[in-house]
Amino acid sequence: MTIPLLSPFPGKPSVAFDAVDTWVFDLDNTLYPAHHDLWFQIDARMKGYISDLLGIPPDDAFRIQKEYYRRYGTSLRGLMIEHGVEPDAFLAHVHDVDLSGLDASPRLAAAIEALPGAKIVYTNGSERHARNVLEKLGIDAHFAAVHDIVAAEFHPKPTEEAYLRFLRAHGVDPTRSAMFEDLARNLEVPHRLGMVTVLVVPPDETIAARESWEFEGREDAYVDHITEDLAGFLETVARQAPPPVSEQG
């Protein structure tokens, strides 16, 4: 397939999507462009929550937030383990964000609709947040399910346990599925399980709030494709998908 991508390996053969019948998408900074301030809002609300919870200055709270994020997969997981935090209250607080700056994307909606097979959102956030974002983007009707951190019983990506729970919950065959993510480390396990992996990056890295370690893994073999234009990438995949096999009889 000729796919519009930024190859992590010059000359690396493109991994085909011919067998894919399940399309799995991360939510934040993947299905909407990273320059939107949603993640900045979530990040700030996490910092404030931790600052109030532990009675520490915001800068110290931010350090703990990012330390837990890296060590446990999500800041929430770290807070649950280290401080016994009740997850529902945390999720409700951090996802109480302003979506007014997020516009509908008819092009992305059409590109997702054209993909052959089922589409699922798999997020370390909450289902409520995911559905609010999908509705605002105008793409909610195209997804069969949302698998959130609650459904994962608070086992976050990138742990293997989290992905195995996801696959079992939705009856997904990893060898017939593709995973779209904005963090390379979240693609290592999917690749090992047999999924086609796609890393979605912003055109201008300076606009994304990233810790330095979040750039790690982009040139590793478990990243099959990199794109900075998700809608364009999906349009090309859909155009080159094999036609459905008609039933005989």
Side-chain angles (χ1 to χ4, degrees), residues 223-238:
V223 178
D224 294 322
H225 302 275
I226 299 180
T227 183
E228 56 186 28
D229 177 10
L230 178 61
F233 187 93
L234 297 179
E235 287 169 348
T236 302
V237 170

Side-chain angles (χ1 to χ4, degrees), residues 167-189:
L167 296 172
R168 289 195 298 265
H170 300 277
V172 173
D173 178 351
T175 67
R176 298 186 60 83
S177 61
M179 183 80 202
F180 295 77
E181 264 282 352
D182 68 303
L183 290 177
R185 75 170 187 165
N186 289 352
L187 294 174
E188 183 173 7
V189 172

Side-chain angles (χ1 to χ4, degrees), residues 7-64:
S7 175
F9 309 102
K12 175 185 175 181
S14 181
V15 178
F17 292 83
D18 296 351
V20 173
D21 60 16
T22 304
W23 309 82
V24 185
F25 295 85
D26 175 52
L27 181 76
D28 291 307
N29 294 336
T30 299
L31 282 172
Y32 62 82
H35 69 264
H36 286 286
D37 71 346
L38 295 194
W39 188 251
F40 295 97
Q41 292 184 61
I42 293 169
D43 221 32
R45 292 185 69 80
M46 283 189 198
K47 178 170 68 174
Y49 187 96
I50 295 169
S51 178
D52 292 343
L53 175 75
L54 302 181
I56 58 178
D59 287 349
D60 292 342
F62 188 73
R63 177 184 55 77
I64 289 173

Side-chain angles (χ1 to χ4, degrees), residues 5-132:
L5 55 81
L6 309 173
S7 175
F9 309 102
K12 175 185 175 181
S14 181
V15 178
F17 292 83
D18 296 351
V20 173
D21 60 16
T22 304
W23 309 82
V24 185
F25 295 85
D26 175 52
L27 181 76
D28 291 307
N29 294 336
T30 299
L31 282 172
Y32 62 82
H35 69 264
H36 286 286
D37 71 346
L38 295 194
W39 188 251
F40 295 97
Q41 292 184 61
I42 293 169
D43 221 32
R45 292 185 69 80
M46 283 189 198
K47 178 170 68 174
Y49 187 96
I50 295 169
S51 178
D52 292 343
L53 175 75
L54 302 181
I56 58 178
D59 287 349
D60 292 342
F62 188 73
R63 177 184 55 77
I64 289 173
Q65 171 189 340
K66 294 303 181 181
E67 177 187 340
Y68 289 172
Y69 176 33
R70 182 169 192 177
R71 191 193 313 173
Y72 295 107
T74 62
S75 301
L76 170 59
R77 181 72 172 172
L79 291 170
M80 292 173 66
I81 291 172
E82 300 287 348
H83 305 283
V85 164
E86 199 281 316
D88 291 342
F90 176 88
L91 291 170
H93 177 83
V94 302
H95 291 142
D96 184 14
V97 295
D98 179 11
L99 301 180
S100 61
L102 197 61
D103 297 322
S105 178
R107 183 185 177 203
L108 179 60
I112 292 172
E113 182 180 19
L115 295 172
K119 300 96 183 183
I120 302 172
V121 168
Y122 179 14
T123 175
N124 276 345
S126 68
E127 180 175 1
R128 179 180 178 184
H129 171 62
R131 293 204 179 276
N132 288 341

